[in-house]
Amino acid sequence: MPAILIRLDPARLANPDLDLRYDIPERLAQASGGLVKSSGFDYEDCTDAMLIYLSTSSVTEAMRFVVAMLDDEVVHGNRLADAAQVGVSELSPKEATRYTVVYPSGKAGALLP
C-alpha cells in the first residue's frame, strides 16, 4: 500500500503540540472516509521535525485531503502549510526509506527524510 509522509518543522509552528502526531492522522482518516490511515510517527534524525506516516490505496485521491487540511485548517493553533512538507512513496510506510516531495510545489522532487 503506498505511503505518504508529512514532515512538520516545529520551529515554524505557533504551537508545536505533540498531539499533532495523533490529531492530524485522525482528522485525515475521518475526512477521507478511511482512505487515509495512520501508519505511525517518528522524529527526524538530527532535527526536531515530526514525521507523520500515512498509508492509502490511492495517493492521488488521498493527497486531495492532505493538501486541503494543510492549506485550509488550523490545528492546535497552527496553520500547517507554514511548517509542512509532504512526500510520497509507492512502497508501504514500513518499506519506504525515501519519499518524493510533492508539497509544497516549490520543493517538489526533493527527497525526504
Side-chain angles (χ1 to χ4, degrees):
M1 187 173 284
I4 298 172
L5 170 63
I6 300 174
R7 179 188 183 275
L8 294 176
D9 180 352
R12 295 177 169 225
L13 293 169
N15 178 22
D17 189 323
L18 293 179
D19 284 344
L20 290 167
R21 64 188 173 201
Y22 303 115
D23 295 342
I24 290 171
E26 285 177 15
R27 287 170 93 161
L28 286 169
Q30 183 178 25
S32 71
L35 176 68
V36 179
K37 297 178 174 132
S38 176
S39 289
F41 66 91
D42 202 354
Y43 297 94
E44 191 174 64
D45 291 340
C46 303
T47 74
D48 293 330
M50 183 183 301
L51 305 174
I52 300 171
Y53 296 92
L54 307 165
S55 58
T56 183
S57 59
S58 174
V59 169
T60 302
E61 289 180 45
M63 283 302 298
R64 290 184 307 126
F65 295 100
V66 173
V67 170
M69 174 183 237
L70 296 175
D71 285 347
D72 301 333
E73 292 190 37
V74 175
V75 182
H76 295 286
N78 299 292
R79 183 175 178 275
L80 299 175
D82 296 336
Q85 284 184 299
V86 179
V88 298
S89 173
E90 289 303 315
L91 300 174
S92 73
K94 292 182 180 181
E95 299 170 320
T97 58
R98 292 297 218 186
Y99 293 77
T100 303
V101 175
V102 295
Y103 180 95
S105 59
K107 302 275 187 178
L111 297 176
L112 288 175

